Amino acid sequence: MLRGAKEAGEGNERSAGNLRIFKETDDGYVTFARGLEVLREPLLNKGTAFTAEERDELGLHGLLPPAVETIDQQVRRAYAQYQAQSTDLLKNVYLEALRDRNEVLYYRLLSDHLREMLPVVYDPTVAQAIETYSHEYRRPRGVYLSVDDVDGIERAFTNLGLGPDDVDLVVASDAEEILGIGDWGVGGGIGIAAGKLAVYTAAAGIDPTRVIPVALDVGTANEALLNDPGYVGNRHARVRGQRYDDFIDAYVTTATRMFPGAMLHWEDFGPSNARRILEKYTGRIPTFNDDMQGTGAIVLAAMLGAVRVSGTPMRDQRIVVFGAGTAGIGIADQLRAAMVRDGLDDDAATRRIWPVDKQGLLIDDMTDLRDFQQPYARPASEVAGWKKDDAGIGLLEVVERVRPTMLLGTSTAHGAFTEQVVRAMADAVDRPVIFPISNPTERIEAMPGDLLRWTDGRALVATGIPVDPITYGRVTYAIAQANNALLYPGLGLGAIVSRARRISDGMLQAAAEAVGGMVDVGTPGASLLPQVENLREVSATVAVAVAEQAARENLARADLKEPVQQVQDAMWQPAYKPVKGRQA
């Protein structure tokens, strides 16, 4: 089978816009390339691991040092080179350069050191790489689609040389809300999409030849980029309104027609577009927004563990969400759905969530509420006697009035969960659930050590940053990291294996339950979530649960006779394959 390419005629197989001239067989690769052409192809290039026979057949003698090494030897050298880099940004640059010359070695190194390298290839270091994208521009990766050339979308995808059965996953971003740094134009779009796909491959074995990162270049509102003579994206203000919607629709229509089996993943869209786009397409195609659904599902996974510890069922939770943007309300949606599954009707579940944003507690007579915030806004009559300050009804007043069982932080307001707020919560609840998941560290609402100290070790904590175990009162607490990478790679793999028609709420719930079920929360100080270093195991478990749920909902187009084995068989492994030469 031709992997990541289609036959375009005898002697002219193409992939990713390059004359790779190779195809995959059951026992390796067959290629028309010879000599330097082989070494320039990242998926073919093994460097010093080419055997003597391969060097003979592929014309590599004299182009490599004489030693023939194993991939293990290469990984040790690459890791030493990685460690020699003085900053995380330089480590990111090193890894990208390695990926550009030897993709298998890159993924093997990443898989072997995933916990250490995940923050370097993705959040938070990728943000630094994105900020310098135009000035550090190297090898292009993926597809760049422009709002100024809607008619060119099909041509751009065609230039990849991929057939309708060659793509499993497309990750696209318009780069309006990149991590915590905002609008970063074309570099943000392609950087975040490529970084996300690297995690999909390293964590869940999504075949890197069957994915496409896409930058949806609609301009930028970043004046620094517009005035930068080196900027490589569209040099005009960010397009909005009908023209933007038409561009997005043209992208979806073209991508789903050309690659009908692919899941479309949306990443780092602004709050005015993210939910609207997802709701428009979610019932029609397999599509997923990690900022909304992935974050919500991983928080739900941690919450299910907290429920098992505290004994308070979901239907009895009182939840304060501090930071009612796209992520905060996306999480609220997942928690609300869990309450409904636990016996509440939709309205009753909605009324058990109190959202607090920059203007304080959201109230239904506010004129600046976004459409997705409105269902959660509290009736003005309900809070008429509550104390207000310059920013409305503040967090402390809400906590004292509501007596929440759960306090969720998605505000990026460092230190917002003060000792006074936390102690007020702990005075009313035996096992307060406190999830300050904003990241990076300088944006977290409270540090876990303080939360444990202020609650006498009773808090059930999950964060958005990695935190070392904390010892308090003779108990060592493993702090759960609500890292989306624990969930979305397995969700994507399950959707691919099942060939799901769409991504349902039931599939997201199955993913959350699978993640949460992998830890024993009965031990004092136990983490509410699995550790990040076990991502491959977690992803496989999630994928099986998602695929089986897709089948139960009649959303699976594949015949899932042995889902566990089918998931294992689908996971791409970073291992060298034999390469044989062939004359054109």
Side-chain angles (χ1 to χ4, degrees), residues 14-325:
R14 294 175 181 262
S15 174
N18 298 322
L19 271 174
R20 287 186 172 176
I21 325 176
F22 76 94
K23 62 181 179 180
E24 185 177 359
T25 65
D26 290 339
D27 59 353
Y29 290 120
V30 174
T31 180
F32 297 106
R34 286 183 61 79
L36 291 175
E37 200 172 14
V38 175
L39 301 181
R40 290 171 181 148
E41 170 48 57
L43 271 171
L44 284 183
N45 183 25
K46 305 179 187 180
T48 54
F50 279 112
T51 66
E53 293 76 16
E54 288 173 326
R55 297 180 189 205
D56 220 17
E57 189 165 355
L58 300 172
L60 298 177
H61 281 294
L63 303 183
L64 294 166
V68 176
E69 297 183 307
T70 65
I71 194 170
D72 291 328
Q73 291 173 301
Q74 291 179 316
V75 166
R76 286 194 291 272
R77 180 189 298 114
Y79 185 55
Q81 293 170 343
Y82 168 87
Q83 289 182 305
Q85 308 306 310
S86 58
T87 68
D88 283 348
L89 179 57
L90 289 175
K91 289 177 178 178
N92 176 280
V93 171
Y94 169 79
L95 289 173
E96 285 302 299
L98 177 62
R99 186 180 184 183
D100 286 343
R101 71 174 183 269
N102 186 330
E103 201 152 2
V104 173
L105 180 57
Y106 164 82
Y107 279 114
R108 172 61 188 277
L109 177 66
L110 184 57
S111 297
D112 285 358
H113 302 277
L114 195 51
R115 181 182 178 88
E116 175 184 357
M117 294 182 178
L118 194 60
V120 174
V121 300
Y122 198 63
D123 183 20
T125 308
V126 72
Q128 300 176 52
I130 284 169
E131 289 176 334
T132 61
Y133 179 83
S134 291
H135 294 274
E136 300 292 339
Y137 180 77
R138 296 182 296 275
R139 175 178 177 149
R141 186 180 299 280
V143 173
Y144 303 78
L145 303 180
S146 171
V147 70
D148 301 328
D149 185 21
V150 176
D151 292 339
I153 293 175
E154 181 169 356
R155 179 178 62 228
F157 280 125
T158 299
N159 287 340
L160 288 173
L162 300 173
D165 298 325
D166 293 334
V167 179
D168 294 324
L169 177 62
V170 183
V171 175
S173 177
D174 75 350
E176 185 171 8
E177 290 289 342
I178 296 295
L179 302 174
I181 61 174
D183 184 342
W184 278 88
V186 70
I190 204 67
I192 210 70
K196 205 78 174 184
L197 285 169
V199 180
Y200 266 115
T201 296
I206 306 295
D207 190 332
T209 68
R210 299 181 60 84
V211 303
I212 307 173
V214 174
L216 297 169
D217 191 349
V218 297
T220 177
N222 187 327
E223 289 293 334
L225 292 180
L226 293 175
N227 293 314
D228 182 352
Y231 179 57
V232 297
N234 284 330
R235 199 176 295 274
H236 59 65
R238 180 170 285 273
V239 170
R240 303 188 186 278
Q242 190 61 49
R243 187 179 167 207
Y244 175 93
D245 290 348
D246 291 344
F247 176 57
I248 296 297
D249 197 59
Y251 157 68
V252 172
T253 301
T254 304
T256 53
R257 174 171 50 80
M258 296 183 70
F259 313 115
M263 182 178 90
L264 301 191
H265 175 132
W266 309 93
E267 189 68 24
D268 285 356
F269 283 71
S272 64
N273 292 318
R275 177 177 293 265
R276 190 169 54 83
I277 290 172
L278 182 65
E279 290 178 348
K280 179 176 181 179
Y281 297 107
T282 194
R284 297 159 44 184
I285 60 173
T287 191
F288 170 73
N289 185 307
D290 187 45
D291 303 305
M292 293 169 54
Q293 296 168 297
T295 303
I298 195 62
V299 170
L300 175 59
M303 186 61 184
L304 294 175
V307 164
R308 298 204 303 272
V309 176
S310 69
T312 303
M314 282 301 303
R315 62 181 175 273
D316 292 335
Q317 298 292 329
R318 298 182 302 278
I319 300 170
V320 171
V321 178
F322 185 64

